[in-house]
Amino acid sequence: MRLYVNIDHIATVRQARRTDEPDPVRAAVLAELGGAHGITIHLREDRRHIQDRDVRLLMETARTGVNFELAASSGILDLACELRPLQVTLVPEKREEVTTEGGLDLRSEENREALALALRRLKGEGVRTSLFVDPDPEALEYSVELGADAVEFHTGEYANARGDERGRELGRLADLAKKGRAMGLAVHAGHGLTFENVIPVAAVREIEELNIGHSIISRAFFVGLERAVREMGDLIRQAPQMVDRPGAWLPPMGF
Ligand code: PXP
């Protein structure tokens, strides 16, 4: 089981001020030090969080694999073909959505045509390909037909379900993961996975990769906030002694 850490939210915080911190590329280094097997980023058409610069720098600096999420119809495909990350996950994208709301609509012939084209180009560049789909059997059939290497099951329904319903959603994921493997697809999963709900999904043997962002970044605020406040407090307390030593103004950055 591989853990890919989605660092989009680091970029969301940066873009809130359009400044240069926090830098998602530096966050990727920490995620790798923490044991991430790879880094996931989604370059959206509206560039609301990750920027082109982040993708280019990450491709130079990542020591693990980069999983580049993008919409097949976007011009971003050109960038993916130029940079050739380890993996591209094709996702649906709507401007008005807060996050990716569901899997790809593979029933639409127009979508399938765009995906087939994107998959052919990416394969030509030697990039591993994955389709973000809702966990249903038809999605598996279409994914095989389109020639994708992997599917990533959208786990949002599982994450939102409660009680017996959650058990049923887990059963569905596990059955379809088995089916997907038998059809020759690698099976990944992600969206809405948290410290509270990840274990049953991570225990499904046929799922080999999880993409997790929101919950890890949310926890990072809490496990890191105390130290950040203490360091700022130290600087303020020591200000009278430090004001004439600008070289000592930055807190130790840790890496
Ligand atoms: N997988 C895909 C395809 C996604 O679009 C996202 C969200 O950007 C994730 C996984 C991670 O979801 P979450 O942030 O809820 O962990």
Side-chain angles (χ1 to χ4, degrees):
M1 174 66 76
R2 301 185 295 267
L3 168 62
Y4 271 57
V5 177
N6 182 313
I7 55 169
D8 294 350
H9 278 3
I10 303 287
T12 301
V13 176
R14 177 191 60 194
Q15 294 312 109
R17 287 290 180 91
R18 299 219 183 332
T19 174
D20 60 0
E21 66 171 4
D23 186 342
V25 180
R26 300 185 84 180
V29 176
L30 290 181
E32 289 177 333
L33 287 173
H37 299 99
I39 304 297
T40 295
I41 39 164
H42 183 177
L43 184 63
R44 298 186 74 107
E45 278 179 35
D46 63 9
R47 305 299 198 273
R48 67 172 72 158
H49 39 56
I50 293 291
Q51 306 295 306
D52 298 50
R53 164 266 186 207
D54 302 330
V55 186
R56 288 184 181 282
L57 260 184
L58 188 64
M59 282 298 299
E60 279 183 35
T61 55
R63 307 301 295 262
T64 57
V66 172
N67 174 33
F68 188 3
E69 294 178 4
L70 56 100
S73 54
S74 66
I76 294 165
L77 187 62
D78 291 339
L79 184 63
C81 289
E82 179 201 327
L83 297 179
R84 291 187 289 158
L86 177 68
Q87 177 169 287
V88 162
T89 301
L90 296 169
V91 300
E93 201 172 292
K94 289 192 224 111
R95 288 240 160 184
E96 60 281 9
E97 69 191 355
V98 175
T99 181
T100 318
E101 281 166 357
L104 291 159
D105 175 7
L106 298 180
R107 284 195 175 159
S108 146
E109 204 176 320
E110 191 188 336
N111 284 353
R112 288 205 305 280
E113 272 170 21
L115 289 167
L117 205 69
L119 289 171
R120 212 171 310 131
R121 283 189 66 191
L122 291 165
K123 274 176 177 277
E125 298 295 342
V127 176
R128 194 161 83 198
T129 55
S130 177
L131 298 180
F132 190 46
V133 297
D134 292 320
D136 72 61
E138 207 179 23
L140 292 177
E141 310 277 348
Y142 280 130
S143 300
V144 170
E145 204 177 293
L146 286 165
D149 298 310
V151 287
E152 178 180 343
F153 284 139
H154 190 299
T155 45
E157 297 273 329
Y158 161 79
N160 291 334
R162 293 288 171 268
D164 294 349
E165 185 56 30
R166 179 170 281 182
R168 279 195 289 279
E169 287 296 333
L170 178 66
R172 191 150 72 102
L173 284 169
D175 288 348
L176 288 167
K178 207 173 277 181
K179 190 157 190 256
R181 284 297 304 138
M183 292 164 79
L185 292 163
V187 180
H188 310 159
H191 211 284
L193 295 177
T194 67
F195 289 86
E196 290 78 29
N197 68 22
V198 72
I199 285 178
V201 177
V204 176
R205 276 226 322 262
E206 289 78 9
I207 298 179
E208 62 185 64
E209 180 182 308
L210 297 180
N211 280 285
I212 307 180
H214 185 85
S215 190
I216 293 175
I217 305 301
S218 302
R219 180 153 171 80
F221 282 134
F222 287 156
V223 296
L225 186 60
E226 191 181 329
R227 175 171 160 186
V229 172
R230 197 173 306 118
E231 286 176 355
M232 183 59 84
D234 286 348
L235 285 181
I236 292 167
R237 261 189 305 282
Q238 294 160 14
Q241 292 84 48
M242 290 175 76
V243 68
D244 295 324
R245 296 166 48 213
W249 284 10
L250 276 180
M253 296 307 269
F255 67 96

